[in-house]
Amino acid sequence: MEEQALVIALVGVLGIGAQWIAWRTGWPAIVLMLVAGFAAGPITGIMDPHHAFGELLEPMISIGVAIILFEGGLSLDFRELRKTGSAVWRLVIFGVPIAWFAGSLACYYIAGLVWPVSILFAGILVVTGPTVILPLLRQSSVAQRPAAILKWEAIVNDPFGAMCAVIAYEYFRASANGAGLAEVLPQMAFATIAAAVLGYAAAWMIAWSFPRGFVPEFLKAPVLLVTVIGLFVISNSIQQETGLVAVTLMGIALANMNVDSLRDIHPFKQNIAVMLVSGIFILLSASLNFDTLRALEWQFTLFLIAILFVVRPLTVLLSLAFSSIPWKERIFVAWIAPRGIVAVAISGLFALRLSDLGYGDGTILISLSFAVCVVTIVAHGFTIAPVSRWLGLTGSTTPGILLVGATPWSIALARELKQMEVPVTIADTSWWRLSGARQQGLPTYHGEILAEATEHSLDLSQFQTLVAATENEAYNALVCNEFAPEIGRDAVYQLGEAGHHDDPRSLPPSIRGRALFQSGVDMNEMHRRQQAGWEFRKTRLSEQFDFEAARAALPDEADFLMVVKASGALRFFTHAARPSPVAGDYVVSYSPPEEPDMQRVQARKEKKARGQSKAEAKPA
């Protein structure tokens, strides 16, 4: 009991710790998790998952993979699929057979595996792991279409890879008893169709029961989680590995049934997915031993090179031939293909079964699948960002700011940010209010920012900050509260000071954004100041001209709004927080109009005189 508790605690600390380091450094989280698992398992021997959990390890990992695939399916909206054109269907219909065939040749002629093992392992390798792709896309700013292609391909192809392996195994098992492929395929087709029907039925049941109040709000997330696990187990009882088909289809079906209740569950399912991805990668990498690693031979290096530079590019380029996808995007998709948990877990499962059938090469699948997983994760994890930039398939490397509400104040702020080369977009429901921004060449988004369709027409990953600046304070609070889980509670702002807890007329801080400006002024005051000619000013700090000097150079009524760091990061002055600008940063202030020339000259003389008197007062 103590060993299991220790392993569970270590898995949590190492997995989430790796994710946190990745967030702070920008390194691929998957790579860090693999390193952490290797260090805790085969290198130091601190934990041994096989010894701690025994036969429970395999079903634990299988259920975790099923939940991850379901969560990924929930993110696949058919409206997003339209942006990819025919790319995803081509990669499924043509790509899977091409990858299976080319991978089988590489396994047999390069890796030296026997034909049955080569065919089965190549079927597993047709997948590109969603457990790896999704974190990589989350950390990089890849353009919408290639990112959507990679995401859809990873999630949709994952069950197909498992089914390819099952078909190959069932054929070799049946052939040992004198049966042929004609007897295996109908059985597999029936099992797959049955799993798909079960998945759709489970999605329909959830979509029907949740809005009608048959499940209370506090039980919706647990009911959904239990349904996914139950569906996976029932489908696998019909035919092994068809559970992946069922849970993936259930997720995709639910994502396209417009169930409003699921929006409240999104943060929960994302948290579960992050924890499962972290835990499973730590467990699998810690389960390796040096005997397994020593089984890798020199020709496997050539095999890995072939997988990276021959099989994957050949699959994508042939599948997307004569399509409307630009060549740059084809090359990018052809390069990015990391394998993940499903490939390793299924390889471990079939390694034992192939050995039971008398195929000696089956035992090498565990080490070979881990080698493919590690090499592809490292190669693609560290190159996805530079390759996307090299091909011109990424947005600005500096995340920008989303301004909700096209008011004179927000348009003036957007104009100042654009001059500083900070990416900015103004969103509003009124085409007329946006006309002022369009006339000044500012990027705009016309539509209701709270509408669900916005997720598919506006890429929120390009924004590091949101400022709600409409004339309605309650609406601003609603916008901030809606986007806080995605952008970050400390990165959503609005005008107006948060009320005190004992003031029943004001909005509590827990449901609104951070209040801009140290003075916490509201939109009415902003209108008055804008009409009085107030304007934004930017000042670059240096060693000689620091923040205090910049403060002294401004009128007493001026308010500091934000700091633009040299890295492009934005830090805002609020009623409760004040950044610490340093040399090289820009500070942006909101100031009253400049004084007439004579008054300005006199004010400068007075400031200079005060500075001289302070200098004379200092002891020598």
Side-chain angles (χ1 to χ4, degrees), residues 186-231:
Q187 177 185 352
M188 292 300 306
F190 172 78
T192 304
I193 293 173
V197 170
L198 285 174
Y200 185 83
W204 182 87
M205 181 185 68
I206 295 294
W208 182 84
S209 61
F210 276 21
R212 288 170 173 78
F214 286 99
V215 180
E217 200 66 33
F218 73 96
L219 282 181
K220 286 182 178 179
V223 166
L224 190 63
L225 188 61
V226 170
T227 302
V228 172
I229 296 174
L231 174 65

Side-chain angles (χ1 to χ4, degrees), residues 171-470:
Y171 169 72
F172 296 131
R173 186 175 66 85
S175 62
N177 299 323
L181 189 62
E183 300 178 17
V184 174
L185 283 180
Q187 177 185 352
M188 292 300 306
F190 172 78
T192 304
I193 293 173
V197 170
L198 285 174
Y200 185 83
W204 182 87
M205 181 185 68
I206 295 294
W208 182 84
S209 61
F210 276 21
R212 288 170 173 78
F214 286 99
V215 180
E217 200 66 33
F218 73 96
L219 282 181
K220 286 182 178 179
V223 166
L224 190 63
L225 188 61
V226 170
T227 302
V228 172
I229 296 174
L231 174 65
F232 176 72
V233 173
I234 293 172
S235 299
N236 273 353
S237 66
I238 300 174
Q239 175 65 56
Q240 194 68 26
E241 306 307 325
T242 56
L244 298 179
V245 177
V247 297
T248 302
L249 186 61
M250 177 185 173
I252 296 175
L254 268 178
N256 293 277
M257 288 181 177
N258 298 321
V259 183
D260 294 334
S261 303
L262 293 181
R263 290 180 62 86
D264 299 329
I265 301 176
H266 280 186
F268 170 79
K269 72 179 183 62
Q270 290 173 349
N271 294 337
I272 288 291
V274 168
M275 294 181 65
L276 287 175
V277 169
S278 305
I280 292 176
F281 262 97
I282 296 293
L283 285 173
L284 287 176
S285 54
S287 300
L288 281 179
N289 55 60
F290 286 109
D291 292 334
T292 303
L293 297 175
R294 291 190 193 100
L296 296 174
E297 300 178 5
W298 67 268
Q299 68 262 37
F300 293 151
T301 302
L302 298 178
F303 169 73
L304 295 173
I305 294 174
I307 291 293
L308 287 172
F309 297 102
V310 179
V311 176
R312 173 64 178 181
L314 185 69
T315 299
V316 173
L317 296 180
L318 289 179
S319 300
L320 300 183
F322 307 107
S323 70
S324 59
I325 304 299
W327 271 101
K328 287 185 177 181
E329 296 183 14
R330 298 188 204 183
I331 295 172
F332 180 74
V333 174
W335 170 241
I336 302 299
R339 272 63 170 189
I341 293 170
V342 175
V344 175
I346 297 175
S347 297
L349 175 66
F350 283 105
L352 300 176
R353 298 181 182 180
L354 287 172
S355 298
D356 294 338
L357 292 179
Y359 298 110
D361 286 347
T363 56
I364 202 66
L365 287 189
I366 299 177
S367 55
L368 192 56
S369 62
F370 250 107
V372 173
C373 181
V374 171
V375 169
T376 55
I377 285 174
V378 172
H380 300 140
F382 280 108
T383 60
I384 183 170
V387 169
S388 62
R389 287 195 297 267
W390 176 63
L391 292 172
L393 297 177
T394 181
S396 171
T397 56
T398 304
I401 180 172
L402 176 62
L403 298 176
V404 180
T407 63
W409 180 84
S410 63
I411 293 175
L413 173 59
R415 183 173 60 248
E416 188 69 26
L417 291 171
K418 184 180 179 182
Q419 293 175 357
M420 300 174 64
E421 299 183 350
V422 175
V424 60
T425 298
I426 300 180
D428 202 296
T429 57
S430 170
W431 185 258
W432 176 78
R433 284 195 294 268
L434 286 172
S435 61
R438 293 195 304 272
Q439 291 171 3
Q440 300 186 43
L442 299 171
T444 61
Y445 173 78
H446 178 228
E448 174 54 65
I449 195 69
L450 295 175
E452 188 175 355
T454 302
E455 300 177 7
H456 310 287
S457 53
L458 182 64
D459 182 15
L460 293 176
S461 65
Q462 61 183 308
F463 304 114
Q464 61 171 308
T465 305
L466 179 146
V467 173
T470 71

